Amino acid sequence: MTGLTLVSPPHSTSSLQSFSRNDTVFQCQSHRISFSHLTGNKVARKRWIVVWSKLSGYEEAMRIRKLREAQSRVKIKKRAPLRPGSISPPLPVPDYIPRPSYVGTTQSPVLSDMCQVHDSEGISGMRAVCQLVARALELAGTLVRPSVTTKEIDKAVHSMIIEAGAYPSQLGFCGFPKSISTSVNECVCHGIPDSRQLQNGDIITVDIAVFLNGYHGTASKTFICGQVNELVQRLVQVTEGCLERGISACKDGALYRRIGKRISEYAERYDFSLFERFVGHGIGSILHSEPLILHHRNDKPGRMVEGQTFTIGPTLTMGSSECVTWDDGWTIVTSDGSRAVKFEHTVLITKTGVEVLTKL
């Protein structure tokens, strides 16, 4: 918003009928205007209306809604639903690279109730692994283009990770067969890299987790392949904005639920649906632990503490937030075929605020 203005309308319109008996102050972000000359219950027998010079959030939401309505009236060539390709065997990892304890078993690890708070050594370890995650995600983004298969992206990232002496955390987790997950279009999460070629107009969420020197780090990002329409571009931008706002709620002593409140407020401005079932989590020497970070409004108790690490990863869609799971037991897609977008970071709570560990 850029300002607040009082104008006197020439005709009968909605008016500002009264003020308090004391001086009245209106505030809009950094703009503060005091009307000390307006006293009593009415404004000197004159009608006034408040005019915002820019209602960016509201206007943008209305523009997106009109775009949707226009698209529903125009016959558009339907995008083919996502179909699985062939899945190749898991890529090898040299024996000298340490594995997480869950590798080799198909049983799901029990969620640890330990809040992972680190000393200086642990923070250094988390920074190292998270920077490797960030570089791997950057590499994956350079490979996103039409005709490239998700299997090729998986192979390139896998090679980068093991060359760094690290282990791809997703490989072998509860039997997951690949080193990263690649979720295309309506795939919400856990997409298995396969032989399907990316096409112009696709979007793909690449989720990378790495285990290095006893610590896990993870991040994900949605990339655009070729050209997409304005509504899809906006969905991507808003989802990333939700992540940024969730991160901005973090600091030592802050309530966890502030994250969900900030994210929900921003998503609702643009009329996008938020997936409530997918949450962030504590991360460190253990891949998944408390606290669970809810990305929607909630009453979850608990406060952040200095030295703590966890993930924040809101997922949005322009349609229904209902999901179905494929027969592979991993791939989760939207029930109505609407596209889904996710952005995720691993963060560290500091004395003065928050450090985004998976940001280059």
Side-chain angles (χ1 to χ4, degrees):
M1 299 181 193
T2 58
L4 176 69
T5 308
L6 283 183
V7 298
S8 177
H11 304 293
S12 177
T13 60
S14 299
S15 59
L16 185 63
Q17 297 292 342
S18 64
F19 289 85
S20 67
R21 292 188 181 274
N22 299 320
D23 292 354
T24 303
V25 177
F26 283 81
Q27 186 174 357
C28 170
Q29 291 184 348
S30 62
H31 299 274
R32 181 179 290 265
I33 304 173
S34 177
F35 308 109
S36 58
H37 60 286
L38 303 178
T39 58
N41 289 329
K42 293 190 177 181
V43 185
R45 300 181 181 178
K46 197 169 186 178
R47 289 177 177 156
W48 296 84
I49 58 175
V50 178
V51 178
W52 299 100
S53 57
K54 186 179 181 182
L55 289 175
S56 58
Y58 175 79
E59 290 176 348
E60 182 66 12
M62 292 300 100
R63 190 173 69 83
I64 290 173
R65 184 168 293 179
K66 288 178 180 178
L67 274 174
R68 289 183 181 177
E69 292 172 350
Q71 288 188 351
S72 66
R73 291 193 297 267
V74 177
K75 289 187 176 180
I76 301 175
K77 184 179 179 181
K78 279 194 171 184
R79 173 176 48 83
L82 186 66
R83 293 287 182 264
S86 60
I87 300 174
S88 57
L91 295 170
V93 178
D95 292 338
Y96 64 83
I97 293 179
R99 273 88 164 145
S101 60
Y102 54 75
V103 175
T105 176
T106 56
Q107 293 183 346
S108 178
V110 177
L111 179 72
S112 172
D113 60 0
M114 180 180 71
C115 179
Q116 302 191 65
V117 180
H118 308 278
D119 57 16
S120 58
E121 181 181 350
I123 290 173
S124 295
M126 287 299 296
R127 283 177 176 149
V129 67
C130 287
Q131 282 299 290
L132 178 55
V133 169
R135 294 194 299 273
L137 195 56
E138 184 179 53
L139 170 64
T142 65
L143 301 174
V144 173
R145 58 181 179 272
S147 79
V148 172
T149 65
T150 52
K151 178 177 68 174
E152 291 174 305
I153 299 175
D154 176 75
K155 183 178 180 180
V157 173
H158 176 91
S159 297
M160 179 182 183
I161 292 171
I162 63 172
E163 285 173 7
Y167 186 89
S169 300
Q170 295 179 75
L171 182 60
F173 179 81
C174 299
F176 191 77
K178 289 296 181 179
S179 300
I180 65 173
S181 65
T182 51
S183 304
V184 178
N185 293 334
E186 67 265 36
C187 184
V188 182
C189 60
H190 306 158
I192 302 174
D194 58 21
S195 62
R196 181 190 181 278
Q197 292 183 329
L198 294 175
Q199 303 171 16
N200 181 53
D202 282 346
I203 59 173
I204 174 174
T205 300
V206 179
D207 195 322
I208 298 175
V210 174
F211 182 68
L212 176 67
N213 297 327
Y215 296 95
H216 295 274
T218 187
S220 62
K221 180 177 181 178
T222 299
F223 299 95
I224 294 173
C225 181
Q227 301 294 320
V228 297
N229 64 41
E230 185 179 355
L231 190 55
V232 175
Q233 290 178 4
R234 180 58 62 187
L235 176 63
V236 172
Q237 293 167 358
V238 170
T239 307
E240 186 170 20
C242 283
L243 174 59
E244 292 169 352
R245 280 154 180 80
I247 292 172
S248 71
C250 296
K251 64 178 181 179
D252 182 32
L255 291 163
Y256 294 122
R257 60 174 173 259
R258 288 182 57 189
I259 297 172
K261 183 175 184 293
R262 293 270 182 94
I263 290 172
S264 294
E265 287 174 346
Y266 193 64
E268 289 163 2
R269 284 174 57 184
Y270 298 94
D271 201 27
F272 290 130
S273 300
L274 182 66
F275 292 94
E276 296 186 0
R277 61 181 287 193
F278 303 111
V279 300
H281 54 86
I283 190 170
S285 58
I286 302 170
L287 182 58
H288 300 107
S289 76
E290 291 284 356
L292 295 181
I293 304 299
L294 308 183
H295 300 124
H296 59 279
R297 285 187 177 85
N298 64 90
D299 295 322
K300 181 179 174 66
R303 295 180 182 273
M304 306 169 206
V305 296
E306 181 184 353
Q308 180 182 19
T309 50
F310 55 81
T311 71
I312 305 174
T315 309
L316 272 64
T317 180
M318 61 183 71
S320 171
S321 59
E322 296 296 319
C323 304
V324 295
T325 303
W326 283 3
D327 292 340
D328 61 24
W330 285 104
T331 309
I332 299 177
V333 298
T334 57
S335 59
D336 61 359
S338 297
R339 303 204 211 201
V341 172
K342 177 184 178 182
F343 283 83
E344 180 183 31
H345 273 309
T346 297
V347 301
L348 165 70
I349 302 303
T350 68
K351 182 179 294 185
T352 56
V354 63
E355 179 181 340
V356 183
L357 297 177
T358 44
K359 187 174 184 178
L360 290 176

